[in-house]
Amino acid sequence: MTHTLNPADPAFAETLRAALPEGTLDQASARYLEEPRGRYAGQTSILAKPRTVEQVATLIRMAGQARVGVIPYGGGTGLVGGQVATGEIAPLILSLERMNKVRAIYPDENVLVAEAGVILADVQNAAQEADRLFPLSLAAQGTARIGGNLATNAGGTGVLRYGNTRDLCLGLEAVLPDGQIWHGLTRLRKNNTGYDLRHLLIGAEGTLGVITAAALKLFARPAKTGTALLVVESPDAALKLLSMARGLFGEMVSAFELIHRQGFDFLTETMPEVRQPFATPPEWCVLVELGLAADMDPQGALETLFEKASEEGLVPDGLIAQSAAQANDFWTIRESIPEANRRIGSVSSHDISVPLGAIPEFIEVGGARLAQMGDFRINCFGHVGDGNLHFNVFPQVGRSRADHENQRVAIKACVHDLVHELGGSISAEHGIGRVKVADLETYGDPAKLSAMRAIKAALDPIGIMNPGAVLRR
Amino acid sequence: MTHTLNPADPAFAETLRAALPEGTLDQASARYLEEPRGRYAGQTSILAKPRTVEQVATLIRMAGQARVGVIPYGGGTGLVGGQVATGEIAPLILSLERMNKVRAIYPDENVLVAEAGVILADVQNAAQEADRLFPLSLAAQGTARIGGNLATNAGGTGVLRYGNTRDLCLGLEAVLPDGQIWHGLTRLRKNNTGYDLRHLLIGAEGTLGVITAAALKLFARPAKTGTALLVVESPDAALKLLSMARGLFGEMVSAFELIHRQGFDFLTETMPEVRQPFATPPEWCVLVELGLAADMDPQGALETLFEKASEEGLVPDGLIAQSAAQANDFWTIRESIPEANRRIGSVSSHDISVPLGAIPEFIEVGGARLAQMGDFRINCFGHVGDGNLHFNVFPQVGRSRADHENQRVAIKACVHDLVHELGGSISAEHGIGRVKVADLETYGDPAKLSAMRAIKAALDPIGIMNPGAVLRR
């Protein structure tokens, strides 16, 4: 059951203008119509920048009355086109950028209440000023806004220890598709009063409502941090090392990131200013971070891990950071790899996850199948402790992504088919957006898809909320 | 929009019998019609005990065709009547007790896959045999089944460190109200592919489908454990102590349970065999447990905490367990309090939560308001680190709960009104069931309630799944 939507035209803008404070509406400038990879461009449209949840409710209610689609807009850093309406009837772009206040912070409760438009780095900083940690951490944190992080259930490097964004949220304030305000901004740790609307809106990518504020979990800041780059013989050895590290340090293992030699080589090729820690980059290594209690010794802990892993033949070599500067160098490598990838230009990039035990098979079989399709460079890296790998396919030196444009669809299908065979996910941390709608239809569970469609139709019968994202209209 | 349901009568039983293996159907014996507090009794009815998810799907599909209500039944330990249909048209009782296999365990992935009918203690034991921890821990664990724990999003003593039941689940297999099987038994840590149906079914108390199996998170077992009973001047001091403990030991604070003098007194009165640790029970104390890494010293850690807290005037006295036996004694006190309460017989008991910072006000104002209503004994205890208190009201010595029966409703309203004023929850860990349906209508957010009703109508249009639970029919 699809309903035709109307465009956000000048007449609609006039109606909105009459109902909202001056300056709320504008024409959407180019940056609201782009996305980071430059693959899609949105339609020229109207931009609304409300300052309060009541104004958001007015906008949604009026959009429903006029049957105009609404795209909730955060920092615009999403990688699956959830923030860009392509080739459709022009929707209203609803930016949360002016709802950018940290409303309250409760250090003794480990809770921070932020509006949806607060930039992720500002949430982190506000927590730090209260001697607390907000552990969501990802490359786009200087631009991404917390509402978008919630809408997409963002992942990042802190998931291993602290969970996905949904695990960091206690309560939400949101406007539902019918314009009702849900006042669900609870700071409670336990609250079993009916269906969990919070988890339904988180990860729904703005298709079931607009998140306007959230009560977020904070944590004690680990008193001491230890960082190491440990060489491993194989992805399988990396997993055994993780298991060993958790046996020794439990939840204090804060990060466990896999890096392939290709990543170091891309840095050499495109970002020679990044300091390389190994004279010869190893085939595989992991960046391990421990966040420890005050009376613990991080270097001693990492030495214990290194020795034990060496004895069992898992780790032939490694570097334990001897200073904060050196730890920072290690992280710079990990965090520069996405930029190096961008400079090389991928033919196809994949944000996938598989069960931890299936990672070695995925890497081996995936590499072999792609080798049959052509001569590529593969940069496989990422949050191996979460089973989440970025498995990105690049042209060989001297060729460009344009040379392989006609293979892009087949490469993607090859990787996603394998992920599906292994019980994995074709979108680990980026979401579905508009880019993966067809993939979700292909690989998604039919019962789940039918439930999703029923829920969407029930909560948003006209289909105004982020039309075309997640589910096909 | 309410649809009339038909009773699970002999004709319906015949239809089912023809479609299912012999022995699947039975008459429901008394134990399926009772609940632990003895306040409600269910209707005589048919009992189905399927062995496979396909059989569950057949039952649900046929119940839908016949418009017969279905009550999913786990261990029967719920405290809000979610498992007992009172005074309604006899439903089919669908017990998961024969789906009681641990299907697989993946120690290196920290994952265990269990069918819904596995008893919680058996899940814990299977994890332990693999040198892992399944941290869900609650009084009824010898009887409760994991499917029921998931359906009700059970809480317990492990929430502080490891989260509620929903936080311990990676994937589900379930039968939706239309009889479709959702194969969502993923072991993935990151999976952003559409609406989170898992979190919608968890905590829905069987009203949106039947959970038949789950992929559960395991954890490394803390290598060393330290336990202490620390006297605190007030609930406020308890919260400051928690904050201090987390500053020192982060997530390694495994339990933090508040105990009031009334609890010790009830034990003396009804269970004199329980060893009392204090010559004179303190007004307030907390049971603290630290679960530490291998190279840490639990007693030293607790001494550090005690000294620091003493210096700041938070903890005047305390006992640090010197042996496993003594730690066990401390836990026996905490775990015997609910039984002592049962023997005394409460006028009204409340499973509530408030924001951590509001706990002192809740206890003070709640006590004062109740004192105006009559002369009661209050036993306030529980998971203070989660803001979850069991605030239970008892008659004075020489009187019985029957003497106050006419005050029960007013007492409950008094407590719940205060909880609501403070931004708390009228059901922290037990759920809504049938007992709190009216409370949810009174205190619930209208937008959330309307979304819940829309979701229920969309997924279960005939209303066969656990009719009358959570939402009024």
Side-chain angles (χ1 to χ4, degrees):
Chain A
M1 189 172 56
T2 305
H3 304 269
T4 311
L5 294 178
N6 297 321
D9 60 16
F12 177 62
E14 263 328 295
T15 332
L16 293 184
R17 225 179 286 274
L20 291 158
E22 205 178 316
T24 302
L25 291 195
D26 204 345
Q27 201 63 25
S29 63
R31 73 176 183 90
Y32 295 96
L33 309 171
E34 298 162 353
E35 52 83 46
R37 290 191 177 144
R39 291 201 190 266
Y40 320 92
Q43 287 239 5
T44 306
S45 190
I46 302 166
L47 174 71
K49 297 196 266 190
R51 293 182 188 277
T52 67
V53 62
E54 290 78 15
Q55 290 172 14
V56 174
T58 301
L59 285 160
I60 298 291
R61 212 163 36 237
M62 294 181 75
Q65 284 159 2
R67 297 179 163 268
V68 169
V70 179
I71 302 212
Y73 195 92
T77 60
L79 293 171
V80 288
Q83 74 278 44
V84 177
T86 53
E88 294 175 37
I89 296 154
L92 173 69
I93 298 171
L94 195 165
S95 170
L96 280 301
E97 69 201 80
R98 283 180 179 161
M99 291 189 67
N100 61 355
K101 281 187 291 298
V102 172
R103 287 194 191 158
I105 182 159
Y106 306 87
D108 282 341
E109 295 187 12
N110 275 337
V111 177
L112 181 153
V113 179
E115 291 183 338
V118 181
I119 286 176
L120 173 52
D122 292 338
V123 178
Q124 295 167 345
N125 293 337
Q128 185 158 350
E129 279 167 27
D131 194 26
R132 291 293 181 273
L133 173 72
F134 182 64
L136 182 64
S137 174
L138 39 85
Q141 63 200 24
T143 314
R145 296 177 193 270
I146 190 68
N149 298 143
L150 287 157
T152 58
N153 185 31
T157 55
V159 174
L160 186 74
R161 179 166 184 169
Y162 299 101
N164 294 282
T165 303
R166 70 167 70 254
D167 303 306
L168 305 177
C169 176
L170 295 168
L172 290 179
E173 175 190 89
V175 177
L176 302 182
D178 62 0
Q180 281 196 83
I181 298 171
W182 172 39
H183 296 283
L185 215 47
T186 159
R187 284 138 51 201
L188 305 173
R189 303 274 164 177
K190 283 181 166 175
N191 179 20
N192 272 341
T193 50
Y195 307 160
D196 201 318
L197 203 51
R198 165 189 52 148
H199 280 304
L200 189 60
L201 292 186
I202 296 174
E205 306 183 33
T207 62
L208 298 177
V210 185
I211 293 167
T212 55
L216 303 168
K217 281 190 203 169
L218 304 180
F219 294 82
R221 292 160 55 78
K224 297 210 181 133
T225 301
T227 312
L229 269 178
L230 301 181
V231 175
V232 288
E233 294 288 358
S234 64
D236 189 47
L239 292 169
K240 291 204 169 70
L241 178 65
L242 173 61
S243 198
M244 182 183 283
R246 283 181 154 168
L248 288 167
F249 308 109
E251 300 100 314
M252 292 184 285
V253 183
S254 296
F256 200 86
E257 297 284 311
L258 186 70
I259 303 175
H260 184 252
R261 195 190 50 227
Q262 192 66 69
F264 292 105
D265 290 350
F266 279 0
L267 288 172
T268 305
E269 197 175 327
T270 66
M271 302 172 78
E273 70 278 16
V274 173
R275 202 177 328 210
Q276 296 267 349
F278 298 105
T280 309
E283 179 79 3
W284 294 103
C285 70
V286 287
L287 174 60
V288 182
E289 187 176 283
L290 301 179
L292 302 176
D295 62 342
M296 297 181 81
D297 165 24
Q299 296 203 8
L302 285 165
E303 278 158 22
T304 302
L305 176 64
F306 177 71
E307 280 160 26
K308 202 160 174 241
S310 294
E311 276 167 29
E312 301 204 7
L314 296 175
V315 172
D317 196 5
L319 300 166
I320 296 173
Q322 302 298 314
S323 65
Q326 209 180 354
N328 196 48
D329 281 355
F330 293 176
W331 272 109
T332 299
I333 289 164
R334 168 64 186 85
E335 287 170 352
S336 300
I337 289 176
E339 176 58 21
N341 285 345
R342 211 187 55 75
R343 294 187 187 182
I344 298 282
S346 75
V347 178
S348 182
S349 54
H350 311 96
D351 163 44
I352 62 93
S353 66
V354 291
L356 290 196
I359 287 175
E361 185 178 353
F362 170 76
I363 293 176
E364 193 190 325
V365 177
R369 289 193 190 169
L370 284 173
Q372 294 183 328
M373 299 179 70
D375 188 18
F376 301 109
R377 293 184 291 178
I378 297 172
N379 192 8
C380 174
F381 67 103
H383 323 296
V384 69
D386 311 319
N388 176 198
L389 296 173
H390 298 296
F391 189 82
N392 297 355
V393 181
F394 297 86
Q396 287 294 356
V397 179
R399 312 199 66 175
S400 80
R401 60 196 282 181
D403 298 329
H404 296 284
E405 192 59 35
N406 62 339
Q407 289 179 286
R408 227 163 65 78
V409 172
I411 290 170
K412 200 169 279 291
C414 167
V415 173
H416 286 177
D417 283 353
L418 177 60
V419 164
H420 189 64
E421 287 165 34
L422 296 173
S425 168
I426 52 103
S427 189
E429 59 176 7
H430 296 163
I432 299 297
R434 289 177 172 77
V435 173
K436 293 191 176 177
V437 170
D439 289 316
L440 180 60
E441 289 170 352
T442 305
Y443 301 107
D445 178 84
K448 176 178 166 176
L449 278 167
S450 110
M452 283 173 59
R453 291 188 185 110
I455 292 165
K456 172 73 176 174
L459 296 183
D460 184 15
I462 307 173
I464 58 167
M465 291 309 310
N466 210 356
V470 185
L471 293 169
R472 196 181 295 269
R473 266 187 62 81
Chain B
M1 189 172 55
T2 305
H3 304 269
T4 311
L5 294 178
N6 297 321
D9 60 16
F12 177 62
E14 265 327 295
T15 333
L16 293 184
R17 223 179 287 275
L20 291 158
E22 207 179 314
T24 303
L25 290 195
D26 205 346
Q27 202 61 27
S29 63
R31 74 176 181 89
Y32 295 96
L33 309 171
E34 298 162 355
E35 53 84 48
R37 287 188 177 148
R39 291 200 190 264
Y40 321 91
Q43 285 237 7
T44 308
S45 191
I46 302 167
L47 174 71
K49 296 194 267 190
R51 293 183 188 276
T52 66
V53 63
E54 290 78 15
Q55 291 172 15
V56 175
T58 301
L59 286 160
I60 298 291
R61 212 161 36 234
M62 295 181 76
Q65 284 158 3
R67 298 180 162 268
V68 170
V70 179
I71 303 211
Y73 195 91
T77 59
L79 294 171
V80 286
Q83 73 280 45
V84 177
T86 54
E88 294 175 37
I89 296 155
L92 173 68
I93 298 172
L94 195 164
S95 169
L96 280 300
E97 68 200 81
R98 284 180 178 159
M99 291 190 67
N100 61 357
K101 281 187 292 298
V102 172
R103 287 194 192 158
I105 182 159
Y106 305 87
D108 281 342
E109 294 187 13
N110 275 338
V111 177
L112 182 151
V113 179
E115 292 183 337
V118 181
I119 286 176
L120 173 53
D122 293 339
V123 178
Q124 294 167 346
N125 292 337
Q128 185 158 349
E129 280 167 26
D131 194 28
R132 292 292 181 274
L133 173 73
F134 182 65
L136 181 64
S137 175
L138 39 85
Q141 62 200 25
T143 313
R145 297 177 193 270
I146 190 68
N149 297 143
L150 286 158
T152 58
N153 186 31
T157 55
V159 175
L160 186 73
R161 179 167 184 168
Y162 300 102
N164 294 282
T165 304
R166 73 168 67 256
D167 302 307
L168 305 176
C169 177
L170 295 169
L172 290 179
E173 175 190 87
V175 177
L176 301 183
D178 62 1
Q180 282 196 85
I181 300 171
W182 172 38
H183 296 283
L185 215 47
T186 159
R187 284 136 54 201
L188 305 174
R189 304 274 163 177
K190 282 182 167 176
N191 178 21
N192 272 342
T193 49
Y195 306 161
D196 201 318
L197 203 51
R198 165 189 53 148
H199 280 305
L200 188 61
L201 293 186
I202 296 174
E205 306 185 33
T207 63
L208 298 178
V210 184
I211 293 167
T212 55
L216 302 168
K217 279 189 206 170
L218 304 180
F219 294 82
R221 292 160 56 77
K224 299 211 180 130
T225 301
T227 312
L229 269 178
L230 301 181
V231 175
V232 288
E233 294 287 359
S234 64
D236 189 45
L239 292 169
K240 290 203 169 70
L241 178 64
L242 173 61
S243 198
M244 182 183 285
R246 284 183 153 166
L248 288 168
F249 307 110
E251 300 101 313
M252 293 183 282
V253 182
S254 296
F256 200 86
E257 297 284 311
L258 186 69
I259 303 175
H260 184 250
R261 194 188 53 227
Q262 192 66 69
F264 292 105
D265 291 351
F266 279 0
L267 287 172
T268 305
E269 197 174 328
T270 66
M271 301 173 78
E273 70 278 14
V274 172
R275 203 177 326 210
Q276 295 267 349
F278 297 105
T280 308
E283 179 80 2
W284 295 104
C285 70
V286 287
L287 175 59
V288 182
E289 188 177 280
L290 301 180
L292 302 175
D295 63 340
M296 297 181 80
D297 164 25
Q299 296 202 9
L302 284 165
E303 277 158 24
T304 302
L305 176 64
F306 177 71
E307 280 162 25
K308 200 157 175 242
S310 293
E311 276 167 29
E312 302 204 5
L314 296 175
V315 172
D317 196 3
L319 300 166
I320 295 174
Q322 302 299 313
S323 64
Q326 209 181 356
N328 196 48
D329 281 355
F330 293 176
W331 272 108
T332 300
I333 289 164
R334 168 62 186 87
E335 287 171 353
S336 299
I337 288 174
E339 175 58 22
N341 285 346
R342 211 188 55 77
R343 294 187 187 183
I344 298 280
S346 76
V347 178
S348 183
S349 53
H350 312 96
D351 163 44
I352 62 93
S353 67
V354 291
L356 291 194
I359 287 176
E361 184 178 355
F362 170 76
I363 293 175
E364 192 190 326
V365 176
R369 289 194 191 167
L370 284 173
Q372 293 182 330
M373 299 179 71
D375 188 15
F376 300 109
R377 294 183 290 178
I378 296 173
N379 192 8
C380 175
F381 66 104
H383 323 295
V384 68
D386 311 319
N388 174 199
L389 296 173
H390 298 296
F391 189 82
N392 296 355
V393 182
F394 297 86
Q396 287 292 355
V397 181
R399 311 199 67 175
S400 80
R401 61 196 283 181
D403 298 330
H404 297 285
E405 192 59 35
N406 61 339
Q407 290 179 285
R408 228 165 63 80
V409 171
I411 290 170
K412 200 169 281 290
C414 167
V415 174
H416 285 178
D417 283 352
L418 177 59
V419 165
H420 189 65
E421 287 166 33
L422 297 173
S425 168
I426 52 101
S427 189
E429 57 176 8
H430 296 163
I432 299 297
R434 289 177 172 75
V435 172
K436 293 190 175 177
V437 170
D439 289 315
L440 180 60
E441 288 170 353
T442 305
Y443 301 107
D445 177 84
K448 175 177 167 176
L449 278 167
S450 110
M452 283 174 59
R453 290 189 186 108
I455 292 165
K456 171 73 174 173
L459 296 184
D460 183 16
I462 309 173
I464 59 167
M465 290 310 309
N466 210 358
V470 185
L471 293 170
R472 196 180 297 268
R473 264 187 65 80

